PDB file of all heavy atoms in Angstrom:
ATOM      1  N   GLY A 691       5.921 138.362 -53.051  1.00  0.00           N
ATOM      2  CA  GLY A 691       4.604 137.857 -53.379  1.00  0.00           C
ATOM      3  C   GLY A 691       4.636 136.560 -54.130  1.00  0.00           C
ATOM      4  O   GLY A 691       3.566 136.143 -54.604  1.00  0.00           O
ATOM      5  N   GLY A 692       5.768 135.870 -54.308  1.00  0.00           N
ATOM      6  CA  GLY A 692       5.851 134.614 -54.991  1.00  0.00           C
ATOM      7  C   GLY A 692       5.906 134.699 -56.494  1.00  0.00           C
ATOM      8  O   GLY A 692       5.789 133.709 -57.231  1.00  0.00           O
ATOM      9  N   GLN A 693       5.931 135.934 -56.994  1.00  0.00           N
ATOM     10  CA  GLN A 693       5.972 136.191 -58.492  1.00  0.00           C
ATOM     11  C   GLN A 693       7.442 136.180 -59.067  1.00  0.00           C
ATOM     12  O   GLN A 693       7.670 135.987 -60.295  1.00  0.00           O
ATOM     13  CB  GLN A 693       5.210 137.424 -58.912  1.00  0.00           C
ATOM     14  CG  GLN A 693       3.799 137.375 -58.480  1.00  0.00           C
ATOM     15  CD  GLN A 693       3.185 138.755 -58.825  1.00  0.00           C
ATOM     16  OE1 GLN A 693       2.593 138.774 -59.961  1.00  0.00           O
ATOM     17  NE2 GLN A 693       3.079 139.661 -57.953  1.00  0.00           N
ATOM     18  N   ASP A 694       8.371 136.303 -58.149  1.00  0.00           N
ATOM     19  CA  ASP A 694       9.812 136.219 -58.478  1.00  0.00           C
ATOM     20  C   ASP A 694      10.194 137.086 -59.669  1.00  0.00           C
ATOM     21  O   ASP A 694      10.707 136.594 -60.767  1.00  0.00           O
ATOM     22  CB  ASP A 694      10.219 134.733 -58.795  1.00  0.00           C
ATOM     23  CG  ASP A 694      11.656 134.570 -58.808  1.00  0.00           C
ATOM     24  OD1 ASP A 694      12.338 135.388 -58.196  1.00  0.00           O
ATOM     25  OD2 ASP A 694      12.144 133.626 -59.440  1.00  0.00           O
ATOM     26  N   PRO A 695       9.983 138.450 -59.619  1.00  0.00           N
ATOM     27  CA  PRO A 695      10.335 139.304 -60.801  1.00  0.00           C
ATOM     28  C   PRO A 695      11.834 139.382 -61.045  1.00  0.00           C
ATOM     29  O   PRO A 695      12.619 139.212 -60.120  1.00  0.00           O
ATOM     30  CB  PRO A 695       9.787 140.586 -60.384  1.00  0.00           C
ATOM     31  CG  PRO A 695       9.779 140.640 -58.955  1.00  0.00           C
ATOM     32  CD  PRO A 695       9.382 139.188 -58.532  1.00  0.00           C
ATOM     33  N   ASP A 696      12.285 139.392 -62.340  1.00  0.00           N
ATOM     34  CA  ASP A 696      13.690 139.598 -62.570  1.00  0.00           C
ATOM     35  C   ASP A 696      14.014 141.040 -63.019  1.00  0.00           C
ATOM     36  O   ASP A 696      15.173 141.285 -63.416  1.00  0.00           O
ATOM     37  CB  ASP A 696      14.110 138.607 -63.566  1.00  0.00           C
ATOM     38  CG  ASP A 696      13.401 138.664 -64.933  1.00  0.00           C
ATOM     39  OD1 ASP A 696      12.628 139.610 -65.105  1.00  0.00           O
ATOM     40  OD2 ASP A 696      13.627 137.730 -65.779  1.00  0.00           O
ATOM     41  N   ALA A 697      12.857 141.885 -63.111  1.00  0.00           N
ATOM     42  CA  ALA A 697      13.085 143.283 -63.442  1.00  0.00           C
ATOM     43  C   ALA A 697      11.954 144.035 -62.948  1.00  0.00           C
ATOM     44  O   ALA A 697      10.856 143.566 -62.679  1.00  0.00           O
ATOM     45  CB  ALA A 697      13.207 143.454 -65.011  1.00  0.00           C
ATOM     46  N   VAL A 698      12.179 145.346 -62.738  1.00  0.00           N
ATOM     47  CA  VAL A 698      11.143 146.318 -62.327  1.00  0.00           C
ATOM     48  C   VAL A 698      11.238 147.557 -63.068  1.00  0.00           C
ATOM     49  O   VAL A 698      12.253 148.108 -63.251  1.00  0.00           O
ATOM     50  CB  VAL A 698      11.365 146.645 -60.743  1.00  0.00           C
ATOM     51  CG1 VAL A 698      10.473 147.811 -60.326  1.00  0.00           C
ATOM     52  CG2 VAL A 698      11.053 145.500 -59.818  1.00  0.00           C
ATOM     53  N   PHE A 699      10.108 148.016 -63.594  1.00  0.00           N
ATOM     54  CA  PHE A 699       9.970 149.272 -64.164  1.00  0.00           C
ATOM     55  C   PHE A 699       9.217 150.188 -63.250  1.00  0.00           C
ATOM     56  O   PHE A 699       8.046 149.825 -62.849  1.00  0.00           O
ATOM     57  CB  PHE A 699       9.275 149.231 -65.528  1.00  0.00           C
ATOM     58  CG  PHE A 699       8.849 150.594 -66.142  1.00  0.00           C
ATOM     59  CD1 PHE A 699       9.760 151.630 -66.248  1.00  0.00           C
ATOM     60  CD2 PHE A 699       7.529 150.786 -66.384  1.00  0.00           C
ATOM     61  CE1 PHE A 699       9.370 152.821 -66.749  1.00  0.00           C
ATOM     62  CE2 PHE A 699       7.042 151.992 -66.825  1.00  0.00           C
ATOM     63  CZ  PHE A 699       7.967 153.053 -66.964  1.00  0.00           C
ATOM     64  N   ALA A 700       9.643 151.291 -62.821  1.00  0.00           N
ATOM     65  CA  ALA A 700       9.012 152.261 -61.881  1.00  0.00           C
ATOM     66  C   ALA A 700       8.570 153.442 -62.671  1.00  0.00           C
ATOM     67  O   ALA A 700       9.412 153.908 -63.451  1.00  0.00           O
ATOM     68  CB  ALA A 700       9.892 152.580 -60.707  1.00  0.00           C
ATOM     69  N   THR A 701       7.446 153.926 -62.440  1.00  0.00           N
ATOM     70  CA  THR A 701       6.930 155.155 -63.178  1.00  0.00           C
ATOM     71  C   THR A 701       7.570 156.473 -62.771  1.00  0.00           C
ATOM     72  O   THR A 701       7.241 157.497 -63.283  1.00  0.00           O
ATOM     73  CB  THR A 701       5.358 155.186 -63.048  1.00  0.00           C
ATOM     74  OG1 THR A 701       5.113 155.303 -61.719  1.00  0.00           O
ATOM     75  CG2 THR A 701       4.732 154.034 -63.715  1.00  0.00           C
ATOM     76  N   SER A 702       8.503 156.351 -61.707  1.00  0.00           N
ATOM     77  CA  SER A 702       9.228 157.659 -61.470  1.00  0.00           C
ATOM     78  C   SER A 702      10.620 157.188 -60.821  1.00  0.00           C
ATOM     79  O   SER A 702      10.712 155.987 -60.411  1.00  0.00           O
ATOM     80  CB  SER A 702       8.588 158.487 -60.422  1.00  0.00           C
ATOM     81  OG  SER A 702       8.571 157.908 -59.181  1.00  0.00           O
TER      82      SER A 702
END
Side-chain angles (χ1 to χ4, degrees):
Q693 301 180 86
D694 193 24
D696 59 8
V698 166
F699 166 58
T701 58
S702 76

